[in-house]
Amino acid sequence: ILSLIMDTTETKTKVKLKVVWDEDKNCEWISVKFVKPRINKRKNRSKLTLATEGVDCQSIPVKQIGTFHSVFHKRNGTPRQGCLAPNASGYVQLHGKAMLGIDHHDASAGMALEGLEHYSHVWLMFLFHKNRPSRRTKMKIKPPRLNGQKVGIFSSRAPHRPNPIGLSLVHIEKVDIAQGRLYCKGVDLIDETPILDIKPFIQHYDNPTHFQVPEKVNMASWVQKPQSSIKCVEYSDMSKQFYEELTFSEHDSFTSTKTLLIAIEEMLLSDPRSIHRKQTGDDSNWWIHFDRFRLTLSMKSEDTIFVDTINFRQ
């Protein structure tokens, strides 16, 4: 009985003992009952659901350590990779209460960022929280650059995966320990994205060419094709006037019209059109939300995007 009880200490299983004595105070029999511990379902925890056909769903409790605040507010217009828009910015706001049970903006949460100022890049692990929950995960998908050809889901970076987890490499712009914030550039996350973890990029470990045994890094040929056919961005007179009259404050994501235009053009040159619009040649106007602005766009030619209007977002 003692050995059984000792085996439960690591799993924190509760043990209930019932002992029955006879008239001579000798032990007549012992009842042992093992009770599984209850899982504390805190509100500040997200859950990743692992669903498979024919069996019950299983849940893995994880903590949302923070929220990413981005210049991209919709999936439409967000670059497929952060390196395509190196000046697109945002920041991670740590959730002290979720991590440590402290107030949201307590300085103790920022202590988790200490030491990151010595690095230039970090990996952000996050949830694709805008995925449609009812959408079934496909084992083979059609990447935009394969013109209808299918590949396995794990040979692509599609957001609709068996587990909706994303991994993004971003450039560190500033570490604010007092506010518990990590400012980044070169982002491909949309606003309000839940952050699960932050890890520093270490070139010696994360770059396979730095292994002790020299290795050739191979990639699928379709991945190496040009990301975009857009070569030029043009603006209407109304858009140019809007830019000229803009004012900026220290709380804005961009400090000048020049830095704003650089970030917008990086986004547009990566060709933010949907696959349907590209394949059908639809040249009607469409819009994109970027930072505090709403851009109305159209295709002037096969390689030129035209900014018809730009206004403040409602």
Side-chain angles (χ1 to χ4, degrees):
I1 293 173
L2 288 176
S3 64
L4 287 173
I5 295 174
M6 292 300 293
D7 289 340
T8 64
T9 55
E10 293 184 1
T11 59
K12 298 181 180 180
T13 302
K14 294 181 180 180
V15 181
K16 292 184 177 180
L17 293 177
K18 184 178 181 181
V19 182
V20 178
W21 307 90
D22 59 15
E23 296 178 354
D24 297 327
K25 296 185 179 180
N26 294 318
C27 180
E28 192 171 53
W29 59 272
I30 299 177
S31 172
V32 182
K33 185 177 181 182
F34 298 94
V35 182
K36 292 183 179 180
R38 293 182 178 180
I39 299 175
N40 185 12
K41 298 179 179 180
R42 297 179 180 176
K43 292 182 179 180
N44 55 18
R45 289 187 177 183
S46 301
K47 284 196 173 182
L48 303 182
T49 300
L50 309 179
T52 55
E53 295 181 1
V55 299
D56 293 336
C57 296
Q58 297 177 340
S59 294
I60 301 177
V62 297
K63 290 182 179 179
Q64 178 184 341
I65 66 164
T67 300
F68 194 84
H69 299 278
S70 174
V71 294
F72 302 110
H73 295 267
K74 303 284 185 181
R75 288 178 296 181
N76 179 28
T78 303
R80 294 181 178 89
Q81 299 295 326
C83 61
L84 300 177
N87 286 283
S89 59
Y91 66 90
V92 178
Q93 176 65 65
L94 292 182
H95 293 180
K97 190 172 183 180
M99 292 192 300
L100 307 170
I102 57 179
D103 291 339
H104 185 77
H105 294 294
D106 192 294
S108 299
M111 293 172 60
L113 299 174
E114 287 187 9
L116 276 184
E117 65 273 11
H118 301 299
Y119 296 89
S120 62
H121 294 76
V122 291
W123 294 103
L124 297 181
M125 185 179 292
F126 60 93
L127 285 182
F128 288 109
H129 66 299
K130 289 294 185 180
N131 284 3
R132 298 173 184 173
S134 60
R135 182 168 179 171
R136 182 179 178 183
T137 302
K138 298 179 180 178
M139 294 300 100
K140 300 192 74 173
I141 54 96
K142 300 176 182 178
R145 286 183 283 173
L146 272 182
N147 297 320
Q149 183 179 344
K150 290 185 177 183
V151 297
I153 182 67
F154 295 133
S155 65
S156 76
R157 296 194 173 185
H160 298 280
R161 317 181 71 80
N163 291 318
I165 300 175
L167 186 67
S168 186
L169 181 65
V170 299
H171 180 265
I172 297 176
E173 189 175 15
K174 185 177 70 171
V175 180
D176 188 342
I177 295 176
Q179 294 293 323
R181 292 181 179 180
L182 177 64
Y183 291 86
C184 313
K185 275 192 172 183
V187 305
D188 57 355
L189 287 73
I190 63 176
D191 198 41
E192 299 295 330
T193 293
I195 300 297
L196 302 181
D197 200 6
I198 302 171
K199 297 180 184 293
F201 173 82
I202 303 176
Q203 189 173 13
H204 184 72
Y205 303 142
D206 296 343
N207 188 342
T209 60
H210 288 182
F211 290 165
Q212 292 182 354
V213 180
E215 293 188 8
K216 182 180 179 181
V217 179
N218 296 321
M219 292 181 291
S221 58
W222 62 270
V223 177
Q224 303 176 52
K225 293 179 181 179
Q227 291 262 356
S228 170
S229 61
I230 305 300
K231 306 297 182 185
C232 182
V233 178
E234 296 184 1
Y235 301 89
S236 66
D237 292 337
M238 186 181 301
S239 299
K240 292 179 181 178
Q241 183 179 355
F242 182 87
Y243 287 133
E244 292 172 357
E245 297 175 354
L246 274 178
T247 59
F248 299 86
S249 70
E250 61 180 358
H251 302 293
D252 291 332
S253 302
F254 301 95
T255 56
S256 66
T257 301
K258 181 180 179 180
T259 57
L260 172 64
L261 287 177
I262 289 174
I264 288 177
E265 291 188 6
E266 287 174 349
M267 173 192 64
L268 296 179
L269 288 173
S270 69
D271 197 351
R273 292 177 297 167
S274 66
I275 298 175
H276 175 77
R277 185 176 290 273
K278 293 177 185 178
Q279 292 177 343
T280 60
D282 186 357
D283 58 356
S284 61
N285 288 6
W286 81 99
W287 54 266
I288 284 177
H289 283 168
F290 182 81
D291 196 28
R292 53 195 177 112
F293 309 104
R294 184 180 190 271
L295 288 73
T296 305
L297 310 167
S298 61
M299 294 299 298
K300 190 173 183 179
S301 63
E302 291 184 357
D303 62 355
T304 303
I305 285 186
F306 189 71
V307 181
D308 294 285
T309 63
I310 179 168
N311 298 292
F312 290 108
R313 291 191 304 113
Q314 297 295 327

